[in-house]
Amino acid sequence: MAEIPKGYLPAEVEEDWYRRWVEAGCFHADASSSREGYSIAIPPPNVTGILTLGHVLNNTIQDILARRARMQGKEVLWLPGTDHAGIATQAKVEAHLRKTEKKTRHDLGREDFIERAWQWKNKHGNIIIKQLKRLGCSCDWERERFTMDHDYSSQVQETFVALFNAGLIYRGKRMVNWCPGSLTALSDEEVIMKPRKSKLYYMRYELVDSPGEYLEIATTRPETLMGDTGVAVNPKDPRYGKLLGRSAWRPFPRKEIPIVADEHIDPEFGTGVLKVTPAHDKADFDIGQRHGLEIVDVFNPDATLNANAGEEFEGMDRFEAREKAVEKLESLGLLVRVEDYENNVGYSERADVPVEPRISMQWFLRYPQVQGAIAAVESDAIRFIPERWKKTYLHWMENIQDWCISRQLWWGHRIPVWYRKGKAEALQNAESLDAETAGGDLHVGHQPPDDPENWVQDPDVLDTWFSSWLWPFATMDDPTRKRFYPTTDLVTGPDIIFFWVARMIMAGLQFTGHNPFANVFFTGIIRDIKGLKMSKSLGNSPDPLDLIDKYGADGLRFGIMRIAPTGQDIRYDETQIEEGRNFANKLWNAARYRQMQGAGSSDLQSSISDLPSDSLSIYALDILSKLDALEKNIAEAYARYRFNEIAQLLYDFFWSEFCDLFLESVKIHFREDADPGARESALRVFDVILSRYLLQLHPYMPHISEELWEKLGCGANPPFLMQTQLRTDSVLDGMPADRLAEASQRAGALYQAASQLRNLKAEYNLAASKAVRFLLEPAEEWVADETDTLCLLAGAAGIELARGAADAPAGKAPAAITPLGKFHMPLDGLIDVEAEHARLGKELQKVEAELKKVTAKLENEKFTSRAPAEVVEEMRQRMESWNRRRDQLGEMIDGLG
RNA sequence: GCGCGAUUAGCUCAGGGGUAGAGCACAUGCUUCACACGCAUGGGGUCGUUGGUUCAAAUCCAACAUCGCGCACCA
């Protein structure tokens, strides 16, 4: 055994152990192994991102599952990697270009820009991977993947081609969500609705055939009125029937526009009259289609206004144009009034600017395997934990909309479609496009055409999620796939249930014929202490690396796991992480204490079975029972993915049971004058508990557990704790149950008595260290054998046994009624009768309150006749014991005079 | 509007039909020979409201309130 320093210094051991594990290949999954397989595919973090607390939570859970599975003898693959995060990465590289060279991507051109993006990725791309390593993640780094790796990209393209050939991918001119910040289309999922304080502008349009007569219209977006091509009312609205078939003047640019009737209009809202701007609103677009209205787009792609809006608006920003349009309406006498109004505005998830509904030519996917994906989750073939996310998933799946998969970006998987030169422009502007209508002028293939000089490739790239939906299998080569696919568990946040989980299920079914995973565990979302979601823009997200420096990776892991309930959001509080560190230190020092006692006569892995059973103290049997229960409870909690419960079990056992009770109670055997047999037995139990405990702890705190395993000399073969199998035998094998029950009962009674004695001392302001003598009227004979331990625990100089009531202490002494009997604490000075009166009186009050409750129950005939017999019996016993206690307290109070 | 979740000690949260729990914070006392990242002792809660089911409700059910989230959305 090597010497253990006084305080635990994580920085000195964590990185070292990580290196040793990696060098020994501990994380590598052997596809040719005959063991039962277990696999997890990491949710690939953004390659240019940095670790957040969300990642810490998510990846710690995966690491726990992976490490536990290894210790259960499984062949474990935890497959790591990153995704290319199209919009985010491109935005970062563009910002960098702008800042350092004052250039745009167009200044560089596509090829150079992509080259820059790769440089950026190579420079910053491994930060998050390094951070995961600091956290202790046992990923198989030899299998690390990136969504733009050559192999992976090929699979993405093959997928596109297959879906195109199956008629599921099509091109069409549709109303899509357009991000004016990133200048690309987005999927519906990438739009975040936010409530905004806006204004509702009431304006009036003049009727063409009746000058001086006006229609009042309410709108939140006056800047789009230049694109109005109609006015709509509800056909059932009695106020407006007379308007149908007539027309109104759009004020500017002045134009006659028709008034149409459409069911979509809500007569209750505003004035019941809607201005219809088919180019800039999805609902208006639909109305326009139904009534054959013209489509006039007044915006440029960056949401400045174009020439259609009129000269005075051209080039103006959309929000500036809003002000200007309002001013202009006012000056024309057409603005009626303005009201404050709160409505929901769609924002781009990545660029955080309001999206514009915009008609454009995009690629869409009709999702494959929708029914199969619904069935898989509905039937629990794929289990969701917590189960309630099933409902969210099913609701989305049942209302699924086609997926806009093209993005107007350069960084990503370029769409594998080529147009014949000369025909390209026409094909790209066609209303729709498929292989048939294009004839031989379209090439859709994993390989470019043989005569590339005659072709033009589609400029768009694919949505990043169109690559990550293949992640669980596209990351695996054939032997790996054969062995580890489908994967076992997926650990992710509920915020990407549509983005990723649902799509992976459909892709898995479509391309592999299998569900990609068996279980999906949804973590909570980490919020700050005020309940706000952590984000970089709010600056409320601590850097996990700082936390690791401060508290150690194990401290961070343990702290975060202890507050991570299943599927509930987590309010982050740094004191929790501090707790994790403190716990690590506690472990360290308990091990240090063990080490100071010197070696035992046997190695740590042996069990208690070869010790003479009668050498085991009641404290030993008690803690061994608790260890046995701990192992069982942990196993159950793992089966239910109750990670916080496991952390709590580990914490309570070690701190409250092992250190506070057992460790303190065996200290007498480590004194110089101790009996060697008892000492040996205590050491052996100590070692059995520690070694078995470290096995349980390891997935949560891998570094410190490994370090202690080595320092205590547990790890002869195999060398690493992380490769050691969990014991499947009970530590109590062969121990008669009645003996255990008796020992636990006695130890429990003694611990409680010790606590009461400490309390008695404290009530009399006696320092815990002040050795006091007690006189005991024992309730049980065995107590005589345990007075040494009791003295140690209670801080007593000695305990004298009274031989009966006659032996009661001379004079008055404060006393405590304990499960071991009545203890008197003779004081040197005079007893403070008044204080003692108060103390006992308070206790008596409590006892009487309890007694009242129990008595009321037992006097209720309905209770005694209907409640289960054992409950009634328990109440009877409770009443008896409260009664006894009350009588004793009464006597004591009387005795005070 | 629909759906989901939360409401327990000052704070952060466990628990869950049959004596209300933890950590932190607080108070008091400890340089007790593993640990002050510690030890000991203590104070502190009618478990959101109102009904219902039950011998028994903080726990199950319903409604309501408040907060949060998701989906949809009336311009």
Side-chain angles (χ1 to χ4, degrees), chain A residues 737-755:
Chain A
D738 54 345
R739 174 140 182 248
L740 280 171
E742 185 191 77
S744 287
Q745 187 268 325
R746 287 181 179 181
L750 192 125
Y751 291 141
Q752 195 196 317
S755 162

Side-chain angles (χ1 to χ4, degrees), chain A residues 525-591:
Chain A
I525 290 168
I526 301 194
R527 299 176 182 284
D528 72 3
I529 198 78
K530 282 174 261 165
L532 297 170
K533 207 164 162 172
M534 298 235 172
S535 75
K536 256 178 281 168
S537 54
L538 284 172
N540 59 352
S541 181
D543 181 350
L545 269 283
D546 290 345
L547 294 172
I548 290 177
D549 288 341
K550 218 164 149 190
Y551 303 113
D554 287 344
L556 174 60
R557 290 167 63 114
F558 197 84
I560 212 100
M561 290 313 296
R562 237 180 121 201
I563 54 168
T566 48
Q568 230 48 259
D569 284 359
I570 297 140
R571 217 168 277 207
Y572 168 76
D573 185 346
E574 191 169 321
T575 61
Q576 311 283 355
I577 311 303
E578 199 178 326
E579 281 304 287
R581 176 201 59 180
N582 295 353
F583 184 53
N585 193 57
K586 188 75 176 176
L587 287 159
W588 186 260
N589 276 287

Side-chain angles (χ1 to χ4, degrees), chain A residues 654-669:
Chain A
F654 197 82
W655 203 306
S656 307
E657 306 294 349
F658 183 72
C659 290
D660 288 353
L661 301 179
F662 175 75
L663 191 152
E664 292 301 326
S665 72
V666 297
K667 276 182 174 172
I668 49 172
H669 303 307

